[in-house]
Amino acid sequence: MTANATRGRFVTLEGIDGAGKSTHVGFLAERMRARGRPVVTTREPGGTPAGERLRELLLGEPMHHDTETLLVFAARREHLARVISPALARGDWVLCDRFTDATWAYQGGGHGVDSARIAELERWVHGGVHPDLTILFDLPPAVSRGRLERAAANGRTLDKFERESDDFARRVRAAYLERARAEPARFRIVDSTRPVETVRDELARIVDAL
Ligand code: TMP
């Protein structure tokens, strides 16, 4: 069998802040494991010791939007080299909470970073690795704002992106939806305003069809 024939599946989760991705990561990983392959669960920014330190900087420190873009791709290079590519080469499945669509949505859509720059970094850093499936948890910014405010009232400190305006969240959401429209074969859009159980049923169907 060739290396390519045994390559694992690469699944990413996306959505605006408060869209509920994290609620479903454990369930998705279990459902994927039930398909019989080991599953590596990871996240961006982060997923490696260097990446996690960059995450702290990215989520805590105000910076030029180009710097932000360069740092997310620096963390991603490390993540691909040390975690994602080796796992896929072993034949494992990778479930990654956010990936490059988040850069297109947040730095591109949200902050207006030039798409040619993002495309160039994507080509350089990815080295041909791309998600097979991306689940986009979609909901209106007003709903996510309510969720984030409740989390803050319960004592959680909101990070730099969670404190951005609703207008920023609208631009991020629009960028995500545009990417989903451009690549319908890769994306599944999940309506995240519905009860957790209903969302879970849909996620189970998506994973079982992988
Ligand atoms: P999380 O809250 O889902 O863990 O994501 C961390 C934040 O990082 C989230 O607000 C989105 C942001 N982010 C970017 O701005 N660009 C990126 O490329 C990635 C991966 C995340």
Side-chain angles (χ1 to χ4, degrees):
M1 213 183 274
T2 65
N4 202 34
T6 61
R7 179 187 176 277
R9 297 290 177 88
F10 183 20
V11 178
T12 60
L13 308 179
E14 299 284 359
I16 62 173
D17 289 285
K21 280 178 300 98
S22 323
T23 311
H24 298 288
V25 172
F27 171 79
L28 279 163
E30 276 316 304
R31 195 84 189 187
M32 285 164 70
R33 274 186 199 106
R35 299 288 310 273
R37 302 296 316 183
V39 176
V40 174
T41 305
T42 186
R43 69 170 180 182
E44 289 210 352
T48 64
E52 291 295 329
R53 291 178 71 175
L54 287 169
R55 177 188 177 93
E56 251 178 65
L57 255 182
L58 281 159
L59 268 55
E61 202 66 50
M63 59 184 75
H64 191 286
H65 299 152
D66 286 348
T67 311
E68 200 171 88
T69 307
L70 290 162
L71 289 182
V72 287
F73 272 109
R76 186 163 297 136
R77 185 71 200 99
E78 191 71 7
H79 198 201
L80 277 160
R82 292 184 187 272
V83 178
I84 298 174
S85 297
L88 295 174
R90 284 195 302 272
D92 293 0
W93 287 17
V94 174
L95 177 62
C96 190
D97 188 345
R98 297 195 186 281
F99 195 60
T100 302
D101 292 300
T103 313
W104 285 100
Y106 281 79
Q107 281 65 51
H111 286 323
V113 171
D114 180 22
S115 55
R117 290 187 172 175
I118 300 176
E120 195 174 343
L121 287 166
E122 182 178 40
R123 256 193 312 279
W124 179 29
V125 167
H126 279 215
V129 177
H130 292 283
D132 300 297
L133 172 75
T134 298
I135 301 174
L136 175 58
F137 292 82
D138 183 54
L139 84 176
V143 181
S144 76
R145 175 56 50 206
R147 289 183 183 178
L148 292 172
E149 278 170 4
R150 278 193 297 282
N154 287 332
R156 189 159 81 73
T157 307
L158 300 184
D159 67 39
K160 189 177 91 180
F161 294 101
E162 291 169 332
R163 290 196 305 271
E164 283 279 0
S165 66
D166 285 2
D167 198 48
F168 178 86
R170 265 189 289 281
R171 293 197 301 277
V172 172
R173 183 192 191 199
Y176 269 133
L177 290 171
E178 196 183 314
R179 290 186 67 71
R181 268 193 298 273
E183 283 187 73
R186 172 164 69 93
F187 275 89
R188 302 287 178 278
I189 301 176
V190 169
D191 173 0
S192 209
T193 59
R194 297 169 304 166
V196 167
E197 288 310 320
T198 315
V199 171
R200 204 153 271 190
D201 288 345
E202 186 175 358
L203 295 174
R205 283 194 297 276
I206 291 171
V207 170
D208 294 350
L210 252 177

